[in-house]
Amino acid sequence: MINHIAITALAALLMASPCLAGGLEEISAYGYGGYFSWQEYTNAGSRVVRESGPIFGAGAAARVDLLQRSLILHGKAELFGTVVDYAGQTQASSDPAENNRPADSDTRYFGGKIEGDLGWRFAFSGGSLEPFFGIGYRTWLRDIASSTATTETGRRFAVGSATEYWDTIYTRYGLKGELPFGNETALFLEAGAKYPLYTRNRAEDTSAGDVTLEPRSDWSAFAELGIRHKAFRPALFYEGFRFRRSPVEQRGIYQIHQPQSNSDIVGISFAYSFH
């Protein structure tokens, strides 16, 4: 995981270097807090895992004019983390009485992401609109703590921990817009959809040992709405990820797969512009 964060930080520096050379329109730092949920489903659509709780993050963003205030490059780098409640069920036990039993625990998340968007800005007297496309990379640790559960007869038993390292590369497609109110205030928005090109989940210390799973891709949405006043920029935002069920990995007597998984974040961000 440390290597992944180092890669994220290095990519952010590489992204920032051409911005400092010229054409820089804005560079800003931001932080956010929000509500996070992770849910997993069976093939029949029944939910088997729900994780939820607060999430916090911080990052930096830059906007660069590449051509005549029309061709615009946007870059962002971010770190995030949280500890949330886990409500799921046991699985893959050698004792049938200990399978599919409700289990509660905590899950720790820590990760980072980088994104780059390229758009064409159409300016008009009442503001601007900018269709864009981009690419992003997101990596995170998902660490479920050990706990206990009970069989139907009331016998308590230990439930082991689970550690997963996730990576996804995804495309972004959307629209940015800005509507000024006076000289120092503007309403801004961003909305669109994203689609993973590749996703990997490296699950460690499962019943079958270490397993690498590759969840299939699905479309998800993102959106942001806020107000820019002088150097300050508060906003509301939403970010989702959708992953379909992975192919099954056969390890001895075990068949391991990543279920359909949904991630959602709704939050409030505060940014400050330095340029």
Side-chain angles (χ1 to χ4, degrees), residues 1 15 38 50 65 79 82 97 105 110 176 181 186 222 236:
M1 188 64 186
M15 183 183 299
W38 176 275
R50 177 179 173 83
D65 173 18
L79 296 175
T82 184
S105 185
F110 180 70
K176 304 176 192 283
F181 295 95
F222 60 89
L236 302 173

Side-chain angles (χ1 to χ4, degrees), residues 121-173:
R121 183 165 56 194
F122 297 93
F124 49 91
S125 58
S128 65
L129 288 176
E130 183 185 326
F132 69 89
F133 71 93
I135 192 165
Y137 168 70
R138 191 175 193 262
T139 178
W140 67 97
L141 163 72
R142 181 179 180 229
D143 189 19
I144 305 171
S146 59
S147 63
T148 60
T150 58
T151 65
E152 290 185 350
T153 60
R155 176 173 60 86
R156 298 187 67 83
F157 60 94
V159 180
S161 61
T163 302
E164 299 175 352
Y165 295 95
W166 285 72
D167 301 275
T168 184
I169 300 172
Y170 53 94
T171 53
R172 290 164 38 93
Y173 310 90

Side-chain angles (χ1 to χ4, degrees), residues 4-257:
H4 290 157
I5 299 302
I7 291 171
T8 300
L10 177 60
L13 290 174
L14 293 175
M15 183 183 299
S17 58
C19 300
L20 301 178
L24 180 65
E25 288 191 348
E26 181 181 84
I27 186 167
S28 60
Y30 65 91
Y32 68 82
Y35 175 81
F36 167 78
S37 72
W38 176 275
Q39 302 180 77
E40 297 180 357
Y41 297 88
T42 65
N43 291 341
S46 300
R47 188 174 67 198
V48 292
V49 170
R50 177 179 173 83
E51 298 169 344
S52 60
I55 188 170
F56 302 96
R63 184 177 72 236
V64 185
D65 173 18
L66 297 181
L67 180 66
Q68 299 179 349
R69 301 181 63 82
S70 295
L71 183 61
I72 308 298
L73 174 67
H74 300 262
K76 175 188 289 188
E78 177 184 300
L79 296 175
F80 58 87
T82 184
V83 177
V84 296
D85 296 328
Y86 172 94
Q89 64 182 35
T90 61
Q91 56 182 325
S93 173
S94 57
D95 184 348
E98 298 180 358
N99 271 327
N100 301 320
R101 300 300 301 158
D104 296 327
S105 185
D106 295 321
T107 303
R108 177 169 60 99
Y109 282 85
F110 180 70
K113 73 174 183 180
I114 55 173
E115 293 178 343
D117 297 333
L118 190 64
W120 189 269
R121 183 165 56 194
F122 297 93
F124 49 91
S125 58
S128 65
L129 288 176
E130 183 185 326
F132 69 89
F133 71 93
I135 192 165
Y137 168 70
R138 191 175 193 262
T139 178
W140 67 97
L141 163 72
R142 181 179 180 229
D143 189 19
I144 305 171
S146 59
S147 63
T148 60
T150 58
T151 65
E152 290 185 350
T153 60
R155 176 173 60 86
R156 298 187 67 83
F157 60 94
V159 180
S161 61
T163 302
E164 299 175 352
Y165 295 95
W166 285 72
D167 301 275
T168 184
I169 300 172
Y170 53 94
T171 53
R172 290 164 38 93
Y173 310 90
L175 181 71
K176 304 176 192 283
E178 189 165 301
L179 182 64
F181 295 95
N183 295 326
E184 298 182 324
T185 306
L187 178 72
F188 67 90
L189 64 87
E190 175 183 316
K194 55 189 173 184
Y195 189 83
L197 299 176
Y198 176 74
T199 303
R200 178 182 64 182
N201 171 16
R202 292 184 292 118
E204 295 187 348
D205 299 325
T206 70
S207 301
D210 296 349
V211 180
T212 297
L213 305 171
E214 297 182 357
R216 296 182 174 96
S217 302
D218 206 352
W219 288 95
S220 58
F222 60 89
E224 184 180 26
L225 175 65
I227 295 176
R228 183 194 311 274
H229 179 67
K230 296 183 178 179
F232 297 94
R233 193 177 65 184
L236 302 173
F237 73 91
Y238 165 78
E239 180 179 30
F241 278 96
R242 298 291 184 267
F243 305 107
R244 295 187 292 124
R245 183 180 187 269
S246 74
V248 173
E249 287 287 328
Q250 184 75 46
R251 296 296 179 88
I253 63 172
Y254 298 104
Q255 291 186 331
I256 310 296
H257 73 278

